[in-house]
Amino acid sequence: MSNPGMRRAAIGLTALAVTAFGAVTTTPDQADAGPKPVAVKLLALNDFHGNLEPPSGSSGSIAGQPAGGAEHLATQLAELRRHAKKQNTITVAAGDLIGASPLLSAAFHDEPTIEALSLAGLDYASVGNHEFDEGADELLRIQNGGCHPVDGCVDGTPYEGAGFQYLSANAFKTATGQPLLAPYAIHKVQGVKVGFIGMTLEGTPRIVSQQGVAGLTFADEAQTANRYARELRRQGVETIVVLLHEGGTQDATGGINDCKGISGPIVDIANRMDPSIDVVVSGHTHQAYNCDIAGKLVTSASSFGRLVTDIDLSIDRRTGDVISAKAENVVVTRDLPKDPAQTALINRYKTVLGPVAGREVGQTTEEIKKTQETLFGTTLGESPLGNVIADAQLAATDDEQGAVAAFMNPGGVRADVDAGPVTYEEAFTVQPFGNNLVTLDLTGAQLYCMLEQQFVTGRTLYPSSTVRYVVDPAGTTGTVADACTGTRVVRGSLTLGGVAVTADATYRVTVNNFLSGGGDGFTVLTGGTNAVTGMIDLDAFVAYLTAESPVSAPALDRIRTTAEVPTA
């Protein structure tokens, strides 16, 4: 592969113990009296997840418009740069550029995505949790280049590394206490210094496999940002931007440039950040918003390259302070011309990938969505596609391992399935992680505890068709330390194959290896016994689509509330 060339500025590699300076402020009147301010444009994206081609289904549009695709994204970025001085434009990202990617990128360990974003002019990116999917060593290879240690140079050409700098301020090597990657960068624009601090969410170890974060420690986001903000100011940097892979959610009525009822971790983090931090480019929640939180501009550009956040900063030339900051989320519409360099890249990898991507593996009678229903309040319940996947995992292990139930984690269902023929590539996009199925013994008490942990973690597992249980919205939620004390799940309501589960009986249950390792906070599963590792989850899904074709969306009746099924 070709390397578009590194556009690296001064990269901070170590932290200094320094004292925070007093903030320097500049009024607009003072700025008018002096030299003309420097106009800096930031173009931001997040959660691209290897979507080189426009995503399908409901994920392929935003704000009522079909959107996304690297060919259109590159053109949109170029057009936005043309509206400003190119040398005054910095392109940034807030993590999860790779991982959970469609086949076209994932088959080549996401090298195509890194090459595409480098060609598109990306300068700096924070790491996200999915950058750790294949571990720290693989992330370093993605940054620095070199062929994959097992698969080699899959496309037959050397991999030269990223043409942009990944930043990772709060992921430390446990053995040395040093950051895994550069924690920050300093970029000069017309003599003015702009500092960028990159971070992932502190909770990354809870949502990534243990192999992915082995040897790493993750620190608090706000504390880390404040630490490096002090160091940047020590170096004369007064304009500070945090690229943070953590986010929030606004009310459903909010548009892509609104900030209605913003909630989630980003609110607390921004409130705890030092006032010297001017802008927070966020991500992770796949939401779009444009907010002012604690005097900071806080943005997010949804996901999959469907939006670009266009941020305009006016910076005092003398003090380096931000005079004003504004942002707009711009839709990457598909009527934009296709960038020819991106088209060539996509076609090259499609040729190498060959016919396997287009092989039909089954049919559906209708679109089957990954969207979760609302169980009660803000608690989400079943998903049509999630239930299909749970059914597929049970079908792959019932006769083989004696499983009587299967449960699927919601974060592992990545895309909708369109009506009609389903190709291998489409199935891969739904299940891209390559997790193994694990069938293990759980007691009835452990099963109830697992279901109670759903309400502590905020993640509802998708159950197979053999599972039925009732949830009490008025029940109590357990604690992180002891979720089993919760009373959300009505005792006696859990049945497997129509038979009530009893606390001391043992049941064979299938999950994926991410869950069996305690992923997403389902720690009770680590206590399962007689575990047997089975096939890859994608293979089970493909086999089910083939065997049960045509597949329809199942009814969402496996989890019900006491309002639907009154207790005796």
Side-chain angles (χ1 to χ4, degrees), residues 239-530:
T239 296
I240 300 175
V241 179
V242 173
L243 310 176
L244 174 61
H245 190 71
E246 178 60 292
T249 304
Q250 62 166 322
D251 292 347
T253 57
I256 61 173
N257 281 298
D258 291 333
C259 187
K260 293 185 177 180
I262 189 72
S263 61
I266 192 63
V267 178
D268 172 66
I269 293 169
N271 276 310
R272 291 190 293 118
M273 282 182 176
D274 191 84
S276 64
I277 294 169
D278 302 289
V279 179
V280 180
V281 176
S282 67
H284 186 56
T285 56
H286 292 203
Q287 301 296 306
Y289 44 81
N290 188 348
C291 296
D292 182 323
I293 302 176
K296 300 171 183 65
L297 179 63
V298 180
T299 67
S300 179
S302 190
S303 60
F304 308 146
R306 295 174 294 169
L307 295 177
V308 172
T309 308
D310 182 4
I311 302 171
D312 287 313
L313 304 179
S314 179
I315 302 174
D316 188 288
R317 195 179 292 269
R318 295 168 305 177
T319 67
D321 281 311
V322 173
I323 299 169
S324 65
K326 62 180 181 178
E328 179 186 7
N329 278 322
V330 179
V331 178
V332 179
T333 59
R334 294 189 205 165
D335 57 2
L336 289 164
K338 294 182 177 181
D339 179 85
Q342 299 289 339
T343 301
L345 182 148
I346 290 169
N347 288 340
R348 177 162 64 88
Y349 280 105
K350 278 187 169 182
T351 299
V352 178
L353 188 59
V356 63
R359 177 171 63 88
E360 184 178 320
V361 297
Q363 297 259 347
T364 61
T365 61
E366 59 190 310
E367 182 183 23
I368 306 179
K369 293 189 174 185
K370 67 186 178 93
T371 308
Q372 291 178 265
E373 68 167 350
T374 300
L375 196 60
F376 60 87
T378 59
T379 300
L380 299 177
E382 298 173 68
S383 150
L385 187 52
N387 285 5
V388 168
I389 291 171
D391 291 344
Q393 295 183 357
L394 178 59
T397 54
D398 52 0
D399 295 334
E400 296 79 1
Q401 300 299 336
V404 294
F407 294 90
M408 176 63 195
N409 59 303
V413 185
R414 305 301 299 189
D416 302 332
V417 173
D418 291 334
V422 181
T423 65
Y424 181 81
E425 184 173 23
E426 289 173 307
F428 184 97
T429 302
V430 172
Q431 291 248 265
F433 293 112
N435 289 321
N436 285 95
L437 302 185
V438 177
T439 305
L440 38 74
D441 286 349
L442 295 172
T443 65
Q446 287 174 314
L447 278 171
Y448 271 104
C449 184
M450 178 190 76
L451 297 180
E452 291 292 349
Q453 283 186 327
Q454 297 176 119
F455 303 98
V456 175
T457 64
R459 295 179 175 89
T460 300
L461 298 175
Y462 303 140
S464 62
S465 61
T466 54
V467 178
R468 296 288 188 280
Y469 64 94
V470 178
V471 172
D472 183 0
T476 59
T477 299
T479 65
V480 173
D482 190 6
C484 305
T485 59
T487 60
R488 289 288 194 183
V489 180
V490 175
R491 295 306 186 266
S493 70
L494 175 60
T495 62
L496 301 180
V499 179
V501 168
T502 57
D504 55 355
T506 299
Y507 305 89
R508 293 288 283 169
V509 176
T510 296
V511 293
N512 59 41
N513 62 286
F514 170 70
L515 283 173
S516 70
D520 275 350
F522 290 95
T523 54
V524 69
L525 292 174
T526 63
T529 58
N530 298 320

Side-chain angles (χ1 to χ4, degrees), residues 64-99:
Q65 301 179 74
E71 296 161 302
H72 306 296
L73 174 63
T75 299
Q76 182 70 83
L77 290 170
E79 286 197 359
L80 290 169
R81 291 185 190 110
R82 277 197 289 271
H83 294 305
K85 291 183 179 180
K86 185 176 180 181
Q87 65 270 25
N88 287 27
T89 302
I90 309 168
T91 305
V92 298
D96 274 11
L97 303 179
I98 58 176

Side-chain angles (χ1 to χ4, degrees), residues 524-551:
V524 69
L525 292 174
T526 63
T529 58
N530 298 320
V532 175
T533 300
M535 67 169 64
I536 298 292
D537 53 6
L538 173 62
D539 294 340
F541 183 44
V542 167
Y544 186 82
L545 290 171
T546 301
E548 302 297 327
S549 184
V551 177

Side-chain angles (χ1 to χ4, degrees), residues 65-224:
Q65 301 179 74
E71 296 161 302
H72 306 296
L73 174 63
T75 299
Q76 182 70 83
L77 290 170
E79 286 197 359
L80 290 169
R81 291 185 190 110
R82 277 197 289 271
H83 294 305
K85 291 183 179 180
K86 185 176 180 181
Q87 65 270 25
N88 287 27
T89 302
I90 309 168
T91 305
V92 298
D96 274 11
L97 303 179
I98 58 176
S101 303
L103 183 63
L104 182 61
S105 184
F108 304 97
H109 298 282
D110 278 317
E111 294 170 14
T113 292
I114 298 299
E115 185 175 358
L117 293 173
S118 299
L119 285 170
L122 184 61
D123 294 299
Y124 307 107
S126 70
V127 295
N129 55 285
H130 281 290
E131 265 79 15
F132 293 95
D133 281 349
E134 294 190 44
D137 288 344
E138 173 64 1
L139 174 55
L140 293 175
R141 185 188 75 86
I142 286 293
Q143 174 71 82
N144 299 319
C147 296
H148 190 272
V150 176
D151 296 332
C153 290
V154 184
D155 72 327
T157 64
Y159 172 61
E160 300 293 342
F164 56 89
Q165 178 64 51
Y166 266 119
L167 303 174
S168 180
N170 69 331
F172 298 92
K173 299 175 185 176
T174 305
T176 65
Q178 294 298 308
L180 177 68
L181 287 160
Y184 63 82
I186 300 172
H187 194 114
K188 286 187 177 180
V189 179
Q190 294 186 18
V192 170
K193 295 178 180 180
V194 181
F196 295 92
I197 302 169
M199 293 185 292
T200 186
L201 66 153
E202 182 185 7
T204 292
R206 295 194 297 271
I207 56 176
V208 173
S209 70
Q210 292 307 296
Q211 297 93 327
V213 295
L216 297 174
T217 302
F218 294 81
D220 179 87
E221 303 94 340
Q223 292 176 9
T224 303

